[in-house]
Amino acid sequence: MEENKKIPQHVAIILDGNGRWAKAKGLPRNYGHKQGAKAVEDILVVARDMGIKYLTVYAFSTENWNRPETEVAALMTILKTYLKSSIKKSMKNNVRCQVIGERSRLSDDIRAAIEELERATAGNTGLTFTIAINYGSRDEIVRAVRKLADECKTGEISADEISEEMISKNLDTGNIPDPDLMIRTCGEQRLSNFLLWQCAYTEFYYTDIAWPDFDEAELQKAVDAYGNRNRKYGGLKDDAQ
Ligand code: IPE
Ligand code: IPE
Ligand code: MG
């Protein structure tokens, strides 16, 4: 393949297949989640070294509460450990961390860990790392619409002033650009309620590799595939004119 230098600014990942990965090895699903967390840690450094500026990962969806209580509890414990251990690593790697999603359903200690991580890393100027926890795109849109409706009610804005930009800014991702590349691992080809509004013109990349096995070589493949895409945004490619 011809060498490609086009690097996506923002990569979003639906990290899927932790459970299947573990099951295939005869191990418990929660072991897969632990290995999945390690894979996130590693890919963050790889992404930074490739020149990616924003990395966003789907860690827990608003629908994942439907899993068995023991799995939800294990995921929450893994998330808490991850958030806590991320402070030191993010400071070392100059990574700014933030969490998107609805926080009121999370436990106090997870909320505290999120706030501490965001506060500690707010001044870092390298890659912006966004973790989606209790995130659902439809829930996020509902919350944004409510905010705008409130502003209409108080007279801060009028309904006909509401623009696409205003909606974008009121989503949890209001401070980061839309993803250029969306990766989903382990064979599924769906969004599962992730970044619906933000992915209007995102390029999609699917792989059969399960998330715990997704490494530097796999990310490179995805970035290379992205480099070969023609983003047209509804217009015409240069050579079609
Ligand atoms: C992704 O792995 C992690 C989360 C959704 C929390 P899964 O747990 O969905 O793994 P599979 O899809 O069951 O294999
Ligand atoms: C999407 O994966 C959510 C996360 C990766 C956190 P799921 O495994 O929950 O999605 P479905 O159920 O296969 O659509
Ligand atoms: Mg899954």
Side-chain angles (χ1 to χ4, degrees):
M1 194 195 293
E2 128 198 8
E3 206 197 337
N4 220 305
K5 299 264 179 265
K6 216 160 74 186
I7 300 291
Q9 181 182 212
H10 181 179
V11 175
I13 307 180
I14 301 174
L15 36 98
D16 201 13
N18 291 349
R20 279 166 281 172
W21 179 88
K23 198 176 164 213
K25 291 181 155 41
L27 296 164
R29 288 179 59 84
N30 293 340
Y31 180 75
H33 293 315
K34 273 195 197 129
Q35 290 306 116
K38 279 211 183 89
V40 173
E41 230 167 69
D42 294 345
I43 221 67
L44 180 57
V45 178
V46 169
R48 187 205 56 173
D49 292 347
M50 280 183 185
I52 291 163
K53 298 282 182 254
Y54 301 87
L55 182 71
T56 301
V57 299
Y58 205 4
F60 192 91
S61 74
T62 46
E63 288 74 30
N64 285 147
W65 298 105
N66 296 328
R67 295 190 179 196
E69 225 174 280
T70 48
E71 180 163 342
V72 170
L75 280 166
M76 289 299 154
T77 303
I78 291 165
L79 276 170
K80 192 166 61 182
T81 308
Y82 186 90
L83 293 165
K84 287 189 172 170
S85 69
S86 280
I87 296 188
K88 214 165 143 191
K89 293 193 181 90
S90 301
M91 296 316 287
K92 190 175 136 223
N93 294 319
N94 194 22
V95 168
R96 178 168 69 111
C97 296
Q98 60 179 15
V99 170
I100 55 170
E102 205 282 314
R103 294 188 191 181
S104 70
R105 197 168 169 184
L106 301 174
S107 65
D108 290 348
D109 51 355
I110 293 208
R111 262 203 310 276
I114 290 171
E115 281 159 22
E116 177 63 13
L117 176 63
E118 288 183 335
R119 193 198 51 74
T121 64
N124 290 346
T125 54
L127 184 148
T128 295
F129 180 47
T130 304
I131 314 170
I133 303 177
N134 190 27
Y135 175 89
S137 201
R138 288 185 169 184
D139 172 71
E140 174 193 43
I141 291 169
V142 168
R143 287 186 283 108
V145 168
R146 281 191 190 140
K147 253 189 273 169
L148 291 172
D150 274 345
E151 288 175 22
C152 283
K153 212 159 69 186
T154 59
E156 255 169 278
I157 58 168
S158 67
D160 51 10
E161 265 178 78
I162 295 174
S163 60
E164 291 187 9
E165 200 195 351
M166 218 184 258
I167 293 176
S168 290
K169 290 272 174 262
N170 279 279
L171 297 174
D172 296 351
T173 51
N175 66 339
I176 56 174
D178 288 343
D180 299 294
L181 173 65
M182 168 68 74
I183 298 171
R184 183 162 186 157
T185 57
C186 214
E188 303 320 327
Q189 304 194 350
R190 54 177 171 259
L191 271 178
S192 301
N193 205 8
F194 195 40
L195 305 177
L196 305 180
W197 171 277
Q198 298 88 335
C199 283
Y201 270 102
T202 299
E203 296 293 328
F204 287 79
Y205 177 87
Y206 302 105
T207 171
D208 287 336
I209 300 285
W211 175 250
D213 287 333
F214 192 90
D215 58 8
E216 178 169 4
E218 296 302 329
L219 182 61
Q220 190 62 56
K221 274 191 229 168
V223 167
D224 287 345
Y226 172 81
N228 290 320
R229 305 276 177 91
N230 292 309
R231 302 185 77 181
K232 293 162 51 181
Y233 301 99
L236 291 180
K237 243 176 65 184
D238 293 345
D239 58 8
Q241 284 163 16

